[in-house]
Structure formats: structure tokens, C-alpha cells
Amino acid sequence: MNARDALWDSARARALIAAKDVGGMIRFARLAQGLRQGDLGRATGYSASTISRLENCRRASNDLPMLRRVAEAAEIPADVLGAALGFSGPASVTVAAGRPEEDPVRRRTFMAAAGFAIPAHMLASLDDALAVLPPPPVAPTADEVAAQLARARRLFDAGDLAPFIDRLPRLMSVAHANAEEVHDAAGYARLTLCYSLATEALNKLGLPASRITADRATAYATLSGSPIATAAAARSLSIVLRHEGRHAIANRVTMDAASRLEATGLATPAQAAAYAQMLCTCAYTTAQAGDRERALDMITDAEKAAARLPVRPGKPFSVTPAGVGLYRVGIHWSLGDAGAALHVGRRLSPGQFPTAERRGRLHTDMARAWWQAGRPEETARALLAAHREAPGEIRRPFIRKLVTELAARHPRVTGVQHLVTLGGER
């Protein structure tokens, strides 16, 4: 055992961790290095009084980036900080209060929300896993976690979410087990990407559990210190917030992450792709909030950024000019400009999108634009095309609502009754 491990295995350190006394831990680590508060302040860019305030506050500050910076300078290991902050187990890192299995009403709501698309036993397993993770069958390696995450992403990209939801509890289990074993930034980054992908899927299904997974993604991204992981977590959280109608805070989350990415100099393709994706996400959120000028400016910037990017299939951020064009379609119909949305959408073809999920999204966005333009026949055709590409896309809550309205106003349009059946409205 090296000196640092011995320090954090001491009785005093274990007591501070158990008490979740983050301030006491900072003071303990500082004194172990023979540093004064001013020394630690200068190493982190904060004043001595800020360090003093952190050390004398038993409860953790809400400013996790500041805590992480101070902890790094004080040589507090990431896993030790995580344990003191309560991030060592999934049940403690939640936005929603309480353990899921303790609230039968919440559980029934969870089950009903996506029961039309996902078998009940899969939803029950996922709900249980968000409270208490199943043990992994073996001690997973980093390569095994990466392989399982890649398989999960392929299932997500296929556009039918039942197999993804079925695999999700095991993915969360192995990602947690590996992160707790290796105690390094890469392990926390993999765990972040796992929860970010889970959030995207749960959002598509309209499940409230997306609040839990988004919060965990954010927490583990902070521990990882990775700008890419932070961007993935910020994007997933912003989608949750946008669906709640909280557009201003969603934009703030996204733009903060974009600023951190920009500060890296965007030296790698991964960083540049993540930055372009954040611009797309923020532009769409801004359009949903009704800010036309800013939304169009940001999507134009995203187009310029995407034009310089290499193709990165299967990566967390794979941004192409066609993908940015799809965001522009959504931006225009969000702003109430169906004509502009249809104009952009007609220049896109399904063959430009490598995944079924994105091809399905192209058709559903076009369906929304056709509906906005008062064209029910084209709306139905686009929705049927979406189902052929990615059945899960027409089962999203917003699309189900569109199908319901279409059936109520134009029940005799060709394909409408079939859509009602496909969408689970009967």
C-alpha cells in the first residue's frame, strides 16, 4: 500500500468519509501535505477565505467543479471524494426523493408510462435496478464495460427500445462495478456515458426515471473530470429539463458545458464533435423557447463546425452535416415555420443517416412539419415511414399525441387507423 492509500485508509480518514464531512477531508488532506489555506488557494485559483469556508462547512458545497478542483490539489482521490459526496452507490444520487421501490404509486406510474412499448417485466427490472443494482456475474474489465456500452448503443440506434431496456440493468451494474474497482477518471467517464444513454432512452419513452439517470450522469461526469463526459451528461440533463418546459435552465446547462469544451481548444475530433452537438442541442432548446434569432444563429454555427468534422460512427458524439440539417428541421417547426422545415427536410434523405433511430426521427420531424402545414395525408405517410425505420419513434409521447389528434380529426385518411394500432392507442 503506498503512502496516499495508507493515508486514506487511516481511522481518521475513514471517519471523515463515513460522516460525509467534505470540509474536514479537505483540511485533513491539506495538513497532511503541510500546506496552509493560502497555499491551497493559490494552487486552485481561490482565496484563502474560500478554502476556509469549505473546510468549516460539514455539508458539501453545491459547486461540484470547485470541490473537485480543490480535492485534486489536496490529492484527495476521486473515489474518496465520491464516497464522501454520496456518489459511491446509485441509490444515493437521485433528483427524485426516495427509493423507487418504496413508492407503489410511483412504481405503477412508471410501469404505465411505457407499458405499451416495453414488456412489464423489463420495466419492473429497470425500476428495481435504479434502487438496488443487480450484482455483476464477474468482475468486469474496462474493455467489457466498453463492449457492453457499445452493444447498448447499437440497440438504441436500432430504434426499438425494448431490447435496450432489457439490457440496461446489467449495463449499469457492470459499469458501476468497474468504476468502483478501478477508481479512475476513465471508469467514471464510462459510467457517465452509460447513464447519459439511459437518459436518452427513458426520455423517448416519457419515463420519469430519466430524472434519476440524468442526475447520476451529471454526478459521475464531475468525478471523471472529462469534458466529453461532462458534455454527454449536460446534454442528457438538458433534454430532461426541456421536456419539463424549463428551457432557460436547460440552455444554461448546455452552454456551460459548451464553454468548458471550448476552453480545451477543441484539439481532438471528439472534443470538436461534442462542441458541435452542444450547439445543436442548445439551438433546438432555444427554438422551443421561441427565440428565433439566437436559435438560427446557433444552428448556423453548428453547421460550420460540422462541416469540418470527420465521420465518427458509433461514438458518443457523431455529428454530420445531415445530422445538423435534421436539427434545423426541428428548429423551424418549433418556431412555427412549417414551410422552412419542409424545405430543409426535403433536401435530406434517410440514406444520409447511418442509424435507424435517426432515420425514424427524420420522418417524425417531417410528420410534425406536415401536420403544422395542415397536410394530414403526408403526416400519416411520414409516420408510417418512421415506424418502418424505427418502431419506437412513433411510440414517443409527443408522437402518440400527434397520432391521437390525427385520428380524431382525419379518421378516414389512409393509414391512420393502422397508426393508432401501432402506437398503442387501442
Side-chain angles (χ1 to χ4, degrees):
M1 180 181 295
N2 61 35
R4 191 180 75 158
D5 289 344
L7 176 69
W8 291 105
D9 194 46
S10 67
R12 175 59 178 157
R14 290 199 301 270
L16 290 168
I17 295 167
K20 293 183 169 47
D21 184 356
V22 179
M25 285 171 50
I26 293 171
R27 183 173 188 276
F28 173 76
R30 175 177 62 78
L31 292 176
Q33 294 186 65
L35 299 176
R36 296 171 298 182
Q37 290 177 339
D39 299 328
L40 187 55
R42 282 187 291 275
T44 56
Y46 299 113
S47 66
S49 62
T50 296
I51 302 299
S52 176
R53 177 174 57 80
L54 284 177
E55 291 185 353
N56 287 289
C57 183
R58 284 183 58 85
R59 296 184 63 186
S61 164
N62 289 328
D63 191 339
L64 290 179
M66 177 175 68
L67 276 180
R68 187 179 181 281
R69 185 183 303 177
V70 173
E72 281 185 347
E75 297 187 2
I76 300 174
D79 60 300
V80 172
L81 177 63
L85 292 172
F87 294 166
S88 57
S92 62
V93 188
T94 59
V95 175
R99 288 163 60 99
E101 77 274 21
E102 291 173 351
D103 185 351
V105 174
R106 195 208 68 84
R107 186 180 179 92
R108 287 195 297 272
T109 301
F110 179 94
M111 300 287 285
F116 65 91
I118 308 296
H121 73 276
M122 293 184 190
L123 292 174
S125 295
L126 174 58
D127 200 27
D128 289 342
L130 289 171
V132 180
L133 284 173
V138 294
T141 64
D143 288 343
E144 173 62 16
V145 177
Q148 290 211 30
L149 182 57
R151 285 195 290 271
R153 182 168 292 280
R154 286 194 294 271
L155 291 172
F156 175 87
D157 288 341
D160 194 353
L161 292 178
F164 175 88
I165 295 297
D166 189 35
R167 187 177 289 270
L168 185 54
R170 186 168 184 270
L171 173 61
M172 293 190 300
S173 175
V174 299
H176 268 283
N178 177 255
E180 291 167 5
E181 175 70 22
V182 299
H183 296 317
D184 65 1
Y188 288 121
R190 287 188 293 271
L191 191 52
T192 299
L193 295 178
C194 163
Y195 276 116
S196 296
L197 186 60
T199 302
E200 286 194 64
L202 295 176
N203 259 304
K204 282 181 178 290
L205 294 169
L207 291 174
S210 61
R211 289 298 304 267
I212 297 173
T213 54
D215 187 62
R216 291 181 190 169
T218 302
Y220 291 116
T222 299
L223 290 179
S224 79
S226 162
I228 302 297
T230 299
R235 179 172 180 264
S236 64
L237 177 59
S238 73
I239 293 171
V240 173
L241 293 168
R242 186 177 71 222
H243 285 191
E244 293 175 351
R246 301 170 65 189
H247 299 97
I249 189 63
N251 257 349
R252 179 177 169 187
V253 166
T254 313
M255 292 307 295
D256 284 352
S259 295
R260 286 193 289 273
L261 275 169
E262 197 170 21
T264 67
L266 307 180
T268 70
Q271 291 169 347
Y275 181 71
Q277 178 63 73
M278 301 309 278
L279 289 177
C280 290
T281 301
C282 201
Y284 184 69
T285 302
T286 302
Q288 295 250 308
D291 190 338
R292 174 182 297 272
E293 184 175 354
R294 286 190 67 229
L296 295 179
D297 283 347
M298 279 190 282
I299 200 63
T300 299
D301 288 343
E303 286 168 341
K304 294 174 183 175
R308 301 189 293 268
L309 292 175
V311 177
R312 305 174 66 250
K315 299 297 183 180
F317 297 105
S318 182
V319 183
T320 65
V324 180
L326 179 53
Y327 271 94
R328 188 177 275 278
V329 173
I331 286 167
H332 281 303
W333 66 249
S334 295
L335 294 170
D337 193 345
L342 293 170
H343 176 73
V344 174
R346 286 193 189 104
R347 293 184 295 177
L348 301 173
S349 68
Q352 292 175 288
F353 300 92
T355 71
E357 185 269 341
R358 286 289 90 181
R359 293 191 293 271
R361 183 59 183 264
L362 170 63
H363 290 305
T364 57
D365 274 8
M366 288 297 283
R368 285 176 161 183
W370 284 121
W371 182 245
Q372 199 174 67
R375 304 284 289 273
E377 292 83 3
E378 288 84 351
T379 302
R381 280 198 292 270
L383 291 173
L384 288 169
H387 182 267
R388 287 192 295 271
E389 292 284 1
E393 285 301 302
I394 72 162
R395 296 175 183 141
R396 299 174 67 194
F398 296 120
I399 301 303
R400 292 176 70 203
K401 182 179 178 182
L402 173 55
V403 170
T404 300
E405 292 177 0
L406 180 61
R409 299 185 194 180
H410 305 280
R412 293 185 174 83
V413 165
T414 302
V416 167
Q417 296 308 313
H418 186 41
L419 282 167
V420 170
T421 302
L422 292 174
E425 301 300 326
R426 284 182 176 168

